[in-house]
Amino acid sequence: MKSLLFILLLFLTPTLSAQTKKKPVNKDLIFKPLVAAPAPKATAVIKGNVKNFSDKYWELAVTGDLTNYSITVPVDQDGNFSRTISIDDETEDIYLYLNDDAITICAQKNDTILVNWDNKDFKNTFRISSPQPRANARLQTKISVYNLCRKELMDLTASMYTDKFSDSVKYEKINNLYNKEMMIAAVNLNETGNQKLITDVYYEYVSLLNNQRLLPKYDLHIKDTSAMGKKLNKEFGPGTYRTESQYAYQNSNAYKEFIFNYIRFSNALINVRGNKLLTWMPTWNEYYLGMANLRLPEIRDWFVTKEIELAFGHYPFNDANGVYNDFITKVTTPRYADSLKQFYAAIKQLKPGSPAPDFSLKNDKGETVSLKSLRGKVVYIDFWGVGCGPCVYEIKNTTEPLHGKYKDKNVVFLNICVDSDEKTWKNSLDSLKVSGTNLIAEGWTRNPVCQKYNITGIPHYVTIGTDGKIVNNNSARPSDGRLLTEELDKALK
């Protein structure tokens, strides 16, 4: 299952983006991939009943092979619901967006998961189970971990960024909670399904160490000297995170998240094209890091496919395009080759110089505004969200001076909110005093405008020229100052 040590990688930056799990403002970039999923290997069913529920649906997300899928679960007038979900790998994590949180469970093929609660008393009435004994045992252990450790983990993570702890104190705090959560997750250590749970816990806490730049100085260690503790230390010994694991790849989203970021955020590799690091070409750097460090073909192909799809949403188009053209001749896993080709067929429409996809959206006055109606002007689009911390920061601190600089010039500033309903959006416009033309694209990943423009992360900026063609599908943000104004000035000329 495990093979070949990675080149030892030292992180220079923590993870920059993550899917939002809660409604309050997210301090990180919010990331929701839109790439179409390959055909599912299997399915599972989530069904149940909710009492005193006033909405027509609730939401969940499934961790697919390359992307998280956001799914609505319709609720009928009697509170009943049923939804079939796709299972791409052996096991998929599922985030239940309930009670202003993301309750994480997992499902395997052909599982039936029963969920019931009273919306007026969620804490005391929420129940989750399965008629299948092994699936039920797995669910109960997962919920025990959630109930006993979730709040403590969130508080610990927050304190790491607000309190000034020494590295040794940080490590002790992280390792102590790791011990608590691992011992709960390992309650049925000899059960096959339990392996996934303890693998998740290990990589969640390794990720936390890494985000605090404590790797490779510190290693997680179980202090319990019982047979269980010794077995866990043997399985997850020093440096385990530096190994490739086919099992973890097929079963643990936490493993995939860790490996993806662990390899990407490193300058440990010397570029094979000239024996020097491509400091200003992160797309190529990440590509070479993945190709050099991953030896199992399927894991390597997964990593690079995901990296390329991410690159098209964040880095210069030509860089991402170059990596795609190089890798498409080397990928050996059919489902990743197919996914890349399907993705590229859509994303190449955003190449600089291509006609910008037209759209029509409602503004805050209820009027319809089309991109076509703005032809002849430079259009700078800000895809943003009320729950996105960086988005709100830009609006509060940098957009007003930018808009003022171009108030008498042929530039239109479109602000497209993607993560909110209309009422919340309008309230935010008032409280934030958002200037420019304000539009809303509800549904984000389900909205055609977001799909056309590959809005996988927010904030995201696009510049369109007076001829209606794309100038840059990954424009600089207002806080980048001269980098952005030079682009706008060039577009005006």
Side-chain angles (χ1 to χ4, degrees), residues 8 67 72 121 139 212 232 258 267 324 330 390 448 478 493:
L8 189 58
T67 178
T72 59
D121 187 16
L139 287 169
Q212 296 301 314
L232 290 171
F258 171 75
N267 282 346
Y324 169 83
K330 300 174 181 177
K493 293 178 182 179

Side-chain angles (χ1 to χ4, degrees), residues 188-189 191-200 235-236 247:
N188 297 311
L189 188 57
E191 292 288 335
T192 303
N194 189 258
Q195 183 66 33
K196 182 261 191 303
L197 303 185
I198 60 176
T199 301
D200 282 348
E235 182 165 357
F236 301 105
Y247 172 85

Side-chain angles (χ1 to χ4, degrees), residues 33-52:
L34 298 174
V35 63
K41 294 181 178 179
T43 60
V45 174
I46 294 180
K47 62 181 182 179
N49 178 270
V50 53
K51 299 183 185 302
N52 298 306

